DNA sequence: ACTGGCACCTGGGCGC
DNA sequence: TGCGCCCAGGTGCCAG
């Protein structure tokens, strides 16, 4: 599920329910995630109070007096608030019980996600090398163009590198390249600055739109099953290989970059 | 320094 | 129905 819009939607969904709340207890049913669930969740988190939520790329950060709980949802993770009597389902790995009885429940079938403890987010190894936020100042065509100089890798792989820009996963990489009219195979270093301007704008547009739509499903984070399928009807290329291009009618082609599915229109994207 | 490929997991869908 | 195969929204790490 989670690309940047999903992570941001999760942050906005849980923020009003955790801010100002203290943690009553933590239950770890399965600690074998991408990295072992941090011991501090059980030694430091109980008794602490959440005072701030933040997102950096696809990492979610919840501040307490003693440090930050850092959460990554991996490929299949989700975080939602449930009432204390909600039955535990398979793959509900971690419960963080709040002082009002609600539970922040981490669910992750594939276990590619992570729950870590960090003292200082800005200097943490996983965060300090990350590229700019695509929706904040500092990310634009000039920046991308500059970073691409001398690079021979495919532009799709380039924009999916979190050291270049965070939060552009496979769906939105495909969609942004389509909107910008750029062929995904093109060498990053051989794309003109003007086209990077268009690409930066396309990345901002698809992410902003997805967050906007995701915002309408915020209620799902409390109670419901929290499985929004919102962006589907907006997709122009992702998952549409072999179907016709919505703009020109050409058959959409499929390929792969770094073992990730790529879909593009051979006529619109050059 | 770059780049491509692999690893970590489970579950769903498909063809036989 | 069952089995085996392929695929999946991420990303750190490794070898060449």
């Amino acid at each position: 599920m989670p690309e940047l819009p999903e992570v941001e939607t999760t942050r906005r969904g849980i923020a009003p329910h955790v801010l100002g709340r203290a943690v009553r207890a933590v239950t770890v049913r399965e600690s074998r995630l991408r990295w072992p669930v941090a011991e501090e969740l059980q030694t430091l988190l109980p008794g602490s109070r959440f005072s701030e939520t933040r997102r950096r790329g696809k990492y979610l950060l919840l501040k307490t007096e003693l440090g930050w709980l850092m959460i990554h949802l991996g490929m299949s993770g989700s975080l939602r608030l449930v009432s204390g009597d909600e039955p535990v389902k398979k793959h509900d790995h971690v419960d963080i019980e709040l002082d009002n009885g609600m539970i922040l429940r981490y669910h992750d079938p594939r276990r590619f996600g992570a729950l870590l403890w960090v003292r200082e987010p800005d200097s943490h190894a996983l965060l300090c090398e990350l590229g700019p936020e695509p929706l904040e100042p500092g990310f634009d065509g000039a920046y991308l163009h500059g970073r691409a100089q001398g690079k021979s890798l495919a532009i799709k792989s380039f924009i999916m590198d979190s050291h270049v820009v965070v939060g552009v996963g496979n769906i939105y990489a495909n969609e942004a390249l389509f909107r910008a009219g750029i062929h995904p195979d093109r060498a990053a270093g051989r794309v003109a600055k003007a086209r990077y301007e268009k690409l930066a704008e396309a990345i901002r547009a698809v992410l902003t739109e997805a967050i906007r739509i995701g915002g309408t499903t915020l209620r799902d984070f409390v109670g419901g099953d929290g499985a929004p399928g919102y962006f589907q009807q907006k997709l122009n290329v992702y998952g549409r290989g072999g179907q016709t291009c919505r703009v020109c009618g050409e058959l959409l082609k499929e390929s792969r970059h770094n073992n990730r599915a790529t879909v593009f229109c051979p006529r619109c994207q050059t």
Side-chain angles (χ1 to χ4, degrees), chain A residues 156-167:
Chain A
K156 187 193 177 218
S157 301
F158 175 68
I159 60 169
M160 288 182 71
D161 181 349
S162 64
H163 298 97
V164 172
V165 57
V166 296

Side-chain angles (χ1 to χ4, degrees), chain A residues 8-29:
Chain A
E8 178 60 18
T9 299
T10 297
R11 189 191 67 75
R12 294 181 187 182
I14 65 170
H17 301 277
V18 302
L19 285 176
R21 290 274 166 222
V23 173
R24 187 184 283 167
V26 174
T27 304
V28 178
R29 294 184 199 82

Side-chain angles (χ1 to χ4, degrees), chain A residues 8-241:
Chain A
E8 178 60 18
T9 299
T10 297
R11 189 191 67 75
R12 294 181 187 182
I14 65 170
H17 301 277
V18 302
L19 285 176
R21 290 274 166 222
V23 173
R24 187 184 283 167
V26 174
T27 304
V28 178
R29 294 184 199 82
E30 174 58 85
S31 63
R32 295 172 304 165
L33 303 186
R34 170 151 205 184
W35 295 285
V37 171
E39 299 283 346
E40 288 89 341
L41 264 76
Q42 298 183 90
T43 58
L44 298 183
L45 195 50
S48 294
R49 195 173 291 276
F50 292 120
S51 59
E52 185 182 339
T53 69
R54 206 184 278 185
R55 178 188 56 72
R56 180 71 178 101
K58 294 172 190 164
Y59 291 96
L60 206 55
L61 291 151
L62 303 182
K63 187 181 188 182
T64 75
E65 313 86 296
L66 299 175
W68 298 72
L69 170 60
M70 181 162 82
I71 301 169
H72 197 289
L73 302 177
M75 282 286 248
S76 58
S78 65
L79 200 57
R80 58 193 189 99
L81 277 144
V82 299
S83 62
D85 55 8
E86 176 94 0
V88 172
K89 296 205 211 53
K90 196 174 181 185
H91 307 305
D92 283 345
H93 303 314
V94 178
D95 277 1
I96 296 168
E97 188 188 345
L98 306 174
D99 57 4
N100 62 352
M102 294 292 281
I103 292 170
L104 187 59
R105 180 164 284 173
Y106 179 79
H107 175 90
D108 187 2
R110 292 176 75 178
R111 291 194 274 121
F112 287 171
L115 281 83
L116 303 174
W117 189 261
V118 317
R119 298 282 174 181
E120 183 42 62
D122 295 331
S123 60
H124 192 276
L126 291 172
L127 303 179
C128 66
E129 304 286 325
L130 293 176
E133 289 288 332
L135 301 180
E136 287 175 14
F139 176 74
D140 56 22
Y143 165 77
L144 282 179
H145 180 71
R147 286 295 302 266
Q149 290 316 295
K151 305 230 187 237
S152 61
L153 82 170
I155 190 164
K156 187 193 177 218
S157 301
F158 175 68
I159 60 169
M160 288 182 71
D161 181 349
S162 64
H163 298 97
V164 172
V165 57
V166 296
V168 182
N170 198 38
I171 293 179
Y172 300 108
N174 280 300
E175 295 299 317
L177 286 167
F178 174 79
R179 288 205 199 195
I182 300 171
H183 195 294
D185 285 345
R186 194 164 281 275
R190 296 190 188 173
V191 173
K193 191 173 165 191
R195 306 193 80 194
Y196 271 119
E197 303 280 6
K198 203 168 177 188
L199 180 57
E201 186 45 47
I203 288 170
R204 271 199 297 269
V206 290
L207 294 176
T208 302
E209 172 77 348
I211 291 171
R212 191 181 66 72
I213 297 173
T216 66
T217 64
L218 280 187
R219 57 186 133 65
D220 290 335
F221 285 89
V222 185
D225 64 6
Y230 44 82
F231 205 63
Q232 256 72 345
Q233 62 274 45
K234 295 279 185 179
L235 297 176
N236 284 304
V237 286
Y238 181 81
R240 299 193 65 240

